[in-house]
Amino acid sequence: MTTLSTDHAAVAYDATAPFYDALTQQDDYTVFGDLLEQLIKQARPPGDRLLDAGCGTGRSTIAFAKRGFHPTGTDISPAMIEIARSTHADSGIDFHVHDIRLPFPHGGPYDVVLCMSDIANYLADPEHLAEALASLGSVMNPGGVLVFDANTRRGYRLMHEPHVFESEGLYVTLQGRFLPEEGDPERFKLVMNAFRQSPEDPESWTRESIDHLQRHHSVEEFTAFLDAAGLDLVAAHGLERNGSLADSVDEDVHTKGLYVAVRRSDS
């Protein structure tokens, strides 16, 4: 199996950063934030210090600051962090460039860790996932709560068909496939073609092709790697089409799984 550096995620998101907020403008941080906050509170974290690991341009970080948490944001993409810092310069929130596989030099320990928007899937080798969960666990207080999401097999199968996003001055296509020829049948490549209109010349458009490399991880893998990191998986929910959560993850029904883990007090 070909081993990947996690730098592939930084390359992909540095290229995506200039239009990321436009691409995700329909994401409802209020509704999904309510859902995440409910899961966090059900797990009873010991405090309100929050790490937004994979914060992107900082929209989710700001959303949880407004909910009373005291967040820090990190992302592997320097371009995304630059936008977060400039957009939210008056927030008082610290944003740092960081690879979550590595030890955290920025603050901590944390009572809550969010790792959303497919971050787990961008850890495209199992050993990278294990390293990241160990690193996140090490920066959490005993009883601290980790919430993360991951794509299911159904979610990836749906991406075999092209998806199209359009907004003013932006046209994006997304389509992917599994990569069994690389020796790991769970690895997936999502190709993003972005067409952007020049602000200086409306008749001029540029095209950029960006590869997003991911891997499907099973509930069994998550459970084992969390346990090794001193974390107990306490909930695994499937995301329903209406935005509600099922009590378990069905790989053939749900497009995403939403996972909650708690740091053991003896770890």
Side-chain angles (χ1 to χ4, degrees):
M1 181 178 70
T2 303
T3 300
L4 291 174
S5 166
T6 54
D7 290 348
H8 69 87
V11 172
Y13 275 99
D14 278 350
T16 307
F19 56 91
Y20 179 81
D21 281 342
L23 188 65
T24 59
Q25 62 182 301
Q26 295 182 353
D27 290 355
D28 193 330
Y29 282 86
T30 300
V31 173
F32 201 58
D34 288 344
L35 189 63
L36 294 178
E37 186 174 12
Q38 179 182 352
L39 292 176
I40 291 168
K41 289 184 175 179
Q42 286 175 348
R44 303 175 67 87
D48 57 16
R49 294 195 67 192
L50 182 146
L51 174 64
D52 191 2
C55 66
T57 59
R59 290 167 61 196
S60 57
T61 322
I62 291 295
F64 274 85
K66 292 178 179 178
R67 291 172 179 272
F69 292 89
H70 292 84
T72 297
T74 69
D75 200 278
I76 197 171
S77 164
M80 297 286 267
I81 288 297
E82 182 178 351
I83 293 172
R85 287 172 174 167
S86 61
T87 304
H88 308 297
D90 297 333
S91 68
I93 296 173
D94 291 328
F95 292 100
H96 304 278
V97 177
H98 183 71
D99 181 338
I100 61 172
R101 297 180 307 154
L102 304 177
F104 278 82
H106 314 298
Y110 295 98
D111 305 300
V112 178
V113 175
L114 293 179
C115 198
M116 302 299 296
S117 301
D118 311 339
I119 300 302
N121 295 117
Y122 279 94
L123 297 158
D125 290 324
E127 55 265 39
H128 290 170
L129 175 64
E131 290 168 353
L133 291 176
S135 178
L136 292 172
S138 70
V139 80
M140 295 169 63
N141 273 319
V145 178
L146 167 66
V147 180
F148 65 97
D149 69 346
N151 293 318
T152 63
R153 292 185 188 279
R154 181 173 188 269
Y156 280 121
R157 285 198 299 270
L158 290 175
M159 291 308 299
H160 285 186
E161 299 298 322
H163 288 59
V164 177
F165 172 86
E166 293 182 74
S167 71
E168 185 176 354
L170 178 66
Y171 183 89
V172 177
T173 65
L174 297 162
Q175 187 172 16
R177 67 180 182 89
F178 283 102
L179 303 173
E181 68 274 13
E182 293 193 358
D184 184 351
E186 303 296 338
R187 191 173 288 169
F188 191 88
K189 180 167 79 170
L190 182 68
V191 178
M192 173 186 289
N193 285 291
F195 302 82
R196 290 191 287 159
Q197 187 179 42
S198 168
E200 291 80 21
D201 180 7
E203 299 299 318
S204 176
W205 289 71
T206 60
R207 175 191 174 185
E208 188 169 9
S209 183
I210 306 166
D211 290 344
H212 287 258
L213 300 175
Q214 298 191 1
R215 186 183 189 276
H216 169 262
H217 300 290
S218 67
V219 176
E220 292 74 21
E221 286 178 308
F222 286 135
T223 302
F225 291 144
L226 286 165
D227 179 66
L231 297 159
D232 293 322
L233 183 64
V234 298
H237 298 284
L239 189 62
E240 303 280 12
R241 289 186 177 183
N242 62 4
S244 64
L245 295 182
D247 290 335
S248 61
V249 179
D250 189 323
E251 291 278 356
D252 295 318
V253 173
H254 305 121
T255 57
K256 277 185 178 293
L258 193 56
Y259 301 90
V260 183
V262 173
R263 173 72 187 272
R264 291 194 293 266
S265 58
D266 59 351
S267 299

